[in-house]
């Protein structure tokens, strides 16, 4: 997914998995300035951009938008905790995952050309179910150890490290990876 930083730099970011990608829609507190989900139409417009691969119509209600923000906040707390090495999670956040996952996810459809799509319309509740199921698979499986927060200064991007060696440190080499490289080079060769 292509992101734009506050300084205007555009860079590609791979969250590695649907539930962490969903965190790109914004957040609470300091992350509120990134908020993209102001109205139900905003979520309906974002869902086709996600890695779920929704090509058809999407329907989102006001209740589903509120549920989306609650689920997102829970996923963020869980993922930030996991990235920080915590293995003890708030019961309310786990309950938020369970509640969303209990709804049916989008129904897969196979097309005549043997591509997969989702039965239209995909609803907000179906999408949130897919996000919650992805999060449960993530937090209840071996990939939990691969949840990371970018090590960049004031960068809060969370991702699943899917690299084989498991040594991914940055949201993007073009963004925080490069800034880190420049800084280490500067420290090694101080001006004057
Ligand atoms: Zn970063």
């Amino acid at each position: 997914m292509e992101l734009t930083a506050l300084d205007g730099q555009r860079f590609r970011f791979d969250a590695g998995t649907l539930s962490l990608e969903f965190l790109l829609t914004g957040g609470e507190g300091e992350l509120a300035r990134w908020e993209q989900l102001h109205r139900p139409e905003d979520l309906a417009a974002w869902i086709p951009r996600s890695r779920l691969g929704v090509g058809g119509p999407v329907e989102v209600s006001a209740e589903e938008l509120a549920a989306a923000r609650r689920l997102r906040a829970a996923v963020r707390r869980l993922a930030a905790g996991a990235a920080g090495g915590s293995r003890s999670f708030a019961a309310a956040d786990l309950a938020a995952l369970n509640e969303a996952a209990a709804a049916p996810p989008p129904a897969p459809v196979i097309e005549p050309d043997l591509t997969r799509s989702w039965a239209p319309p995909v609803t907000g509740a179906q999408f949130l179910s897919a996000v919650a199921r992805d999060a449960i698979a993530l937090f209840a499986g071996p990939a939990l150890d691969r949840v990371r927060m970018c090590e960049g200064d004031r960068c809060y991007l969370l991702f699943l490290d899917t690299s084989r060696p498991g040594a991914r440190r940055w949201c993007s080499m073009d963004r925080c990876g490069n800034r880190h490289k420049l800084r280490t080079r500067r420290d090694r060769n101080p001006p004057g």
Side-chain angles (χ1 to χ4, degrees):
M1 199 163 271
E2 183 151 292
L3 305 181
T4 306
L6 285 180
D7 61 14
Q9 185 191 351
R10 296 177 76 82
F11 61 101
R12 289 196 60 79
F13 171 66
D14 180 6
T17 193
L18 178 66
S19 52
L20 300 183
E21 187 174 70
F22 184 51
L23 300 179
L24 297 175
T25 60
E28 300 171 330
E30 189 163 355
L31 299 167
R33 63 179 155 176
W34 297 105
E35 185 60 71
Q36 294 181 39
L37 307 182
H38 303 284
R39 301 163 307 152
E41 304 90 282
D42 299 332
L43 179 55
W46 191 85
I47 289 172
R49 296 181 54 209
S50 78
R51 65 180 56 220
L52 192 57
V54 176
V58 179
E59 286 177 2
V60 178
S61 69
E63 293 75 36
E64 288 168 334
L65 175 68
R69 286 168 162 233
R70 281 197 303 275
L71 177 64
R72 187 182 63 189
V75 171
R76 171 167 293 282
R77 282 189 293 268
L78 292 165
S86 170
R87 294 296 176 264
S88 134
F89 300 117
D93 289 337
L94 299 178
L97 298 190
N98 294 340
E99 188 190 329
V109 171
I110 186 159
E111 304 289 353
D113 63 355
L114 303 186
T115 57
R116 191 208 55 197
S117 64
W118 304 104
V122 170
T123 67
Q126 285 178 333
F127 175 73
L128 296 181
S129 174
V131 168
R133 287 166 190 236
D134 179 77
I136 289 174
L138 179 63
F139 296 129
L144 180 61
D145 292 331
R146 291 288 194 108
V147 176
R148 316 238 189 275
M149 185 178 282
C150 175
E151 294 178 24
D153 272 345
R154 293 190 308 278
C155 183
Y156 306 104
L157 290 172
L158 286 151
F159 56 87
L160 173 64
D161 180 359
T162 56
S163 71
R164 191 184 286 261
R168 180 176 164 193
R169 298 169 63 192
W170 315 109
C171 56
S172 155
M173 272 319 290
D174 293 339
R175 177 74 185 164
C176 292
N178 242 332
R179 296 205 292 186
H180 174 78
K181 237 185 335 195
L182 289 174
R183 197 170 310 124
T184 16
R185 203 173 301 154
R186 227 175 18 235
D187 292 348
R188 217 176 290 143
N189 308 302

